[in-house]
């Protein structure tokens, strides 16, 4: 104790920079989130539970979180593989592939949504092929999965890439000279080094997928209980001016996302402790 | 990399077999083709389905022009504001020592873990007609929700951390010594900022602004909630794409989408160029 709140510093601009930071943070982020929580508080915990406890809301929340988890898991595996390929291998078109990884960040979600739908709808280029083997992609949960994979694609690759670049070849050589096969080295030496960064990417990808709206609603079909995601349910409640129900679902989503992120953080702390910082 | 002869005859112990390598490259390329390249081509193919003329014509009508204008206006307001915030926050966080710094950074990052739809909902609940603040503002003739200020606020919410996140790691790495030297030599605070700090962070700032702008122009979920979707007034480009698409005006929807796609490609190009030329001055290229 006795530590001052703000240490004295010869640097200028303390008042100005602190003022701008706290004022804008409050107006743009904190007060609006406070308004959501206040709405929930005045609506009451019991009433909120009644909204969330309906069959339709449960189905939407379960769908959103389940498919987001699957999409983030896919992105975890694919992202680590892609990062490995981009850093370690040299092949024609590598630069292009590397730059394209960021496209889902730059492309507006509504554009991604209609483009994926055009491709994977039953009359689209890939949708027709899938239809021949009796597989419907757009307007089913597969379509939602596809859109969520798209929006979360860059996260794992971009967090893992710098870590792979920093791995010392000597470590792999040491493992090889001690008689480990290549597969064993990858499994026991390289993958553990990538785990913390991969988990960070996984968490970011998951958080993004859970809240995703723009790319999903076009390809989802939006059938209640089947392909209706939680954010869409909020939009529907808002269009009926039912702010209480919208706030209840919004708070439920916030609580579940934070619980998931907290769990991932704990796993990360545990894996860092086990493996050490790399 | 070892030379080609070594990889064919005697594979280095730190490399996979050529078969594994080509399999992994193939899988990565195939995944990217299905998920990223194909949709990219699809946007332009659908836009040009009825030829160039139809595509260009669909962008010329009054509603399309007003959507483009609105999106540009929103970006012109929200991106500079977020850049100013990012600079102020990075300065505050990296030049001073205070309690609760980690907590403040967490709060700045908060919008990344909030669904854009929930972000829009928060803005509606804060500034909507039924709220305390919003009701007062509407009574005095300043509607926020279903108008430009609401869309700007929603856009700022979802893009809030972009510039700050980019600047903070760079400014931590650069330390305070150069600013301290300038101050000791008698430069004023502002002069130190303009002549010492800003040149050091300009590429990182540009990088953050670039990403912020791409997201600001493309934001859909948060804006969909607060805009009210009034054609010709509060319909941004992404919202217009949705409305056209739902009216089965495919060429018009994809033409507007193609404009935003070109913007995304330009953003990527500039971003890649920045990463190649100024990697040492960016946080993204050595972030964990």
């Amino acid at each position: 104790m006795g530590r001052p709140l703000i240490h004295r510093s010869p640097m200028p601009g303390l008042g100005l920079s602190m003022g701008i930071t706290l004022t804008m943070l409050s107006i743009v982020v904190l007060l609006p989130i406070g308004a959501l929580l206040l709405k929930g508080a005045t609506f009451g915990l019991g009433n909120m539970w009644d909204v969330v406890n309906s069959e339709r809301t449960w189905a939407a929340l379960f769908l959103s979180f389940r498919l987001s988890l699957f999409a983030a898991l896919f992105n975890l595996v694919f992202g680590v593989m892609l990062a490995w390929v981009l850093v370690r291998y040299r092949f024609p078109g590598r630069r292009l592939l590397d730059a394209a990884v960021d496209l889902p960040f730059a492309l507006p979600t509504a554009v991604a949504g209609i483009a994926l739908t055009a491709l994977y709808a039953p009359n689209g280029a890939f949708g027709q092929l899938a239809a021949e083997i009796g597989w419907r992609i757009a307007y089913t949960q597969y379509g939602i999965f596809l859109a969520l994979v798209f929006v979360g694609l860059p996260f794992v690759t971009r967090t893992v890439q710098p870590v792979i670049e920093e791995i010392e070849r000597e470590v792999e050589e040491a493992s090889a000279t001690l008689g480990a096969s290549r597969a064993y080295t990858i499994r026991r030496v390289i993958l553990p080094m990538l785990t913390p960064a991969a988990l960070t990417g996984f968490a970011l990808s998951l958080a993004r997928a859970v809240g995703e709206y723009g790319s999903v609603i076009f390809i989802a079909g939006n059938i209640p209980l089947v392909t209706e995601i939680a954010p869409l349910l909020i939009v529907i409640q808002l269009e009926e001016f039912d702010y209480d129900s919208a706030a209840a679902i919004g708070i439920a989503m916030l609580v579940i996302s934070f619980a998931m992120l907290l769990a991932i953080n704990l796993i990360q702390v545990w894996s860092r402790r086990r493996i050490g910082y790399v | 990399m070892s030379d080609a002869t070594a990889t064919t005859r005697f594979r280095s112990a730190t490399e996979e077999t050529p078969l594994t390598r080509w399999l992994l490259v193939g899988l990565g390329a195939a995944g990217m083709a299905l998920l990223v390249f194909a949709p990219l081509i699809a946007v332009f193919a659908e836009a040009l389905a009825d030829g160039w003329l139809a595509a260009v014509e669909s962008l010329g009508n009054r509603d399309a022009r007003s959507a483009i204008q609105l999106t540009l206006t929103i970006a012109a307001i929200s991106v500079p504001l977020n850049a100013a915030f990012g600079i102020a926050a990075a300065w505050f966080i990296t030049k001073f020592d205070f309690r609760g710094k980690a907590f403040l950074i967490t709060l700045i990052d908060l919008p990344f873990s909030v669904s854009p739809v929930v972000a829009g909902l928060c803005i509606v609940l804060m500034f909507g007609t039924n709220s305390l603040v919003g009701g007062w503002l509407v009574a005095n003739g300043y509607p926020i929700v279903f108008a430009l200020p609401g869309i700007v606020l929603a856009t700022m919410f979802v893009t809030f951390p972009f510039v700050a996140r980019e600047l903070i790691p760079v400014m931590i790495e650069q330390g305070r010594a150069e600013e301290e030297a300038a101050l000791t030599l008698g430069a004023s605070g502002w002069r130190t900022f303009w002549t010492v700090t800003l040149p050091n962070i300009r590429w990182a700032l540009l990088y953050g602004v670039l990403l912020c702008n791409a997201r600001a122009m493309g934001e859909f979920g948060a804006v969909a909630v607060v805009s009210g979707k009034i054609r010709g007034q509060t319909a941004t480009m992404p919202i217009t794409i949705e409305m056209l698409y739902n009216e089965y005006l495919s060429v018009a929807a994809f033409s507007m989408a193609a404009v935003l796609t070109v913007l995304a490609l330009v953003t990527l190009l500039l971003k890649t160029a920045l990463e190649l030329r100024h990697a040492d001055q960016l946080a993204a290229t050595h972030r964990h």
Side-chain angles (χ1 to χ4, degrees):
Chain A
M1 290 310 284
R3 207 155 63 92
L5 192 61
I6 299 175
H7 286 268
R8 290 181 59 143
S9 162
M11 283 288 165
L14 172 65
L16 185 67
S17 64
M18 184 169 73
I20 294 176
T21 305
L22 297 183
T23 310
M24 284 185 74
L25 183 65
S26 301
I27 294 177
V28 178
V29 179
L30 298 183
L31 287 174
I33 291 182
L36 172 68
L37 299 179
L38 188 70
K39 189 74 184 170
T42 51
F43 187 45
L45 216 56
N47 288 331
M48 287 208 298
W49 177 249
D50 287 341
V51 171
V52 174
N53 204 16
S54 76
E55 196 192 2
R56 191 174 173 189
T57 315
W58 264 136
L61 284 170
F62 186 55
L63 179 75
S64 275
F65 283 95
R66 183 169 41 109
L67 289 178
S68 300
L69 198 63
F70 290 159
L73 282 172
F74 177 89
N75 279 335
L76 179 67
V77 176
F78 185 74
V80 169
M81 189 197 83
L82 194 62
W84 182 261
V85 166
L86 289 175
V87 176
R88 283 299 175 91
Y89 304 155
R90 292 293 172 272
F91 53 92
R94 187 183 63 91
R95 277 269 162 78
L96 181 70
L97 206 59
D98 199 353
V101 170
D102 281 326
L103 191 79
F105 279 157
L107 197 68
T109 52
V111 176
I114 62 170
L116 286 171
T117 312
L119 278 176
Y120 290 92
N123 57 354
F126 297 150
Q128 271 174 349
L129 290 175
E132 273 174 26
I133 54 165
W135 192 22
R136 275 168 59 90
I137 300 174
Y139 316 126
T140 69
Q141 297 188 0
Y142 296 113
I144 303 178
F145 172 77
L146 197 69
L148 295 180
V149 165
F150 178 86
V151 295
L153 196 67
F155 291 103
V156 175
T157 305
R158 287 303 182 233
T159 46
V160 169
Q161 242 174 333
V163 183
I164 297 180
E165 274 162 13
E166 277 171 28
I167 293 178
E168 310 268 350
R169 285 279 177 148
E170 284 81 354
V171 181
E172 292 165 52
E173 281 162 10
S175 171
T177 37
L178 290 170
S181 69
R182 187 64 188 152
Y184 191 82
T185 304
I186 289 176
R187 195 156 49 86
R188 297 302 297 271
V189 178
I190 294 172
L191 284 184
M193 287 200 265
L194 305 183
T195 306
L199 277 175
T200 304
F202 173 76
L204 290 170
S205 165
L206 182 67
R208 177 73 206 263
V210 165
E212 182 53 26
Y213 174 72
S215 58
V216 175
I217 52 158
F218 296 100
I219 205 169
N222 307 326
I223 307 154
L225 302 176
V226 186
T227 55
E228 190 177 57
I229 54 166
L232 176 65
L233 214 50
I234 296 179
V235 172
I236 291 173
Q237 305 289 2
L238 275 173
E239 278 169 0
E240 291 165 6
F241 297 103
D242 187 352
Y243 293 129
D244 290 324
S245 301
I249 303 166
I251 290 174
M253 279 185 68
L254 277 186
V255 169
I256 303 175
S257 325
F258 284 139
M260 280 168 93
L261 289 181
L262 190 70
I264 293 167
N265 259 328
L266 290 176
I267 297 174
Q268 217 167 6
V269 169
W270 173 78
S271 79
R272 281 230 155 100
R273 198 170 291 160
R274 212 171 67 99
I275 299 152
Y277 287 86
V278 187
Chain B
M1 295 300 293
S2 52
D3 53 299
T5 49
T7 48
T8 46
R9 290 293 305 277
F10 308 103
R11 186 167 53 85
S12 148
T14 59
E15 271 170 9
E16 289 78 54
T17 60
L19 182 69
T20 318
R21 271 185 291 160
W22 286 112
L23 201 69
L24 289 179
V25 171
L27 271 176
M32 291 294 287
L34 285 174
L35 279 164
V36 177
F37 291 111
L40 202 59
I41 296 165
V43 170
F44 294 105
E46 296 278 337
L48 299 177
D50 294 346
W52 276 98
L53 212 62
V56 174
E57 218 165 272
S58 76
L59 293 171
N61 72 48
R62 212 172 55 87
D63 288 346
R65 282 211 314 269
S66 111
I68 294 169
Q69 205 173 9
L70 180 64
T71 291
L72 291 175
T73 310
I74 290 160
I77 301 171
S78 55
V79 174
L81 280 174
N82 271 358
F85 165 79
I87 293 170
W91 183 272
F92 178 46
I93 285 168
T94 60
K95 301 299 176 202
F96 300 98
D97 296 306
F98 53 92
R99 266 194 273 174
K101 194 182 271 190
F103 183 61
L104 180 64
I105 296 177
T106 309
L107 286 183
I108 292 173
D109 276 344
L110 199 60
F112 275 153
S113 36
V114 174
S115 166
V117 169
V118 176
L121 171 66
C122 290
I123 303 286
V124 169
L125 292 176
M126 175 86 201
F127 296 103
T129 331
N130 296 329
S131 72
L132 203 66
V133 184
W136 183 79
L137 284 167
V138 169
N140 286 284
Y142 297 107
I144 304 281
V145 171
F146 305 146
L148 182 71
I151 305 177
V152 169
L153 275 171
T155 305
M156 284 181 67
F157 187 112
V158 293
T159 57
F160 204 62
F162 277 95
V163 178
R165 261 181 92 97
E166 197 52 47
L167 291 184
I168 291 170
V170 171
M171 283 172 70
I172 286 178
E173 204 167 297
Q174 287 171 348
R176 302 173 192 170
E178 288 185 29
E179 280 87 358
E180 278 163 0
L183 291 167
T184 320
L185 292 170
S188 70
W190 281 113
R191 180 142 185 232
T192 307
F193 173 75
W194 287 113
T195 55
V196 177
T197 309
L198 200 59
N200 276 339
I201 61 168
R202 62 188 165 177
W203 299 117
L205 180 65
L206 186 62
Y207 194 88
V209 164
L210 206 60
L211 296 185
C212 184
N213 180 60
R215 183 73 197 265
M217 288 192 165
E219 179 50 30
F220 181 72
V223 173
V225 172
V226 298
S227 94
K229 302 183 184 175
I230 308 163
R231 210 177 283 267
Q233 284 180 43
T234 63
T236 62
M237 289 174 77
I239 299 290
T240 305
I241 291 174
E242 186 206 17
M243 296 198 296
L244 293 169
Y245 186 82
N246 288 341
E247 288 158 15
Y248 302 102
L249 296 169
S250 173
V251 167
F254 278 99
S255 301
M256 179 93 38
V259 175
L260 285 176
T261 306
V262 169
L263 178 83
L265 291 175
V266 171
T267 303
L268 277 191
L269 203 71
L270 291 174
K271 184 175 164 295
T272 310
L274 273 177
E275 281 165 357
L276 286 177
R277 297 192 55 182
H278 303 286
D280 51 325
Q281 290 172 61
L282 296 178
T285 38
H286 39 88
R287 180 191 291 154
H288 279 221

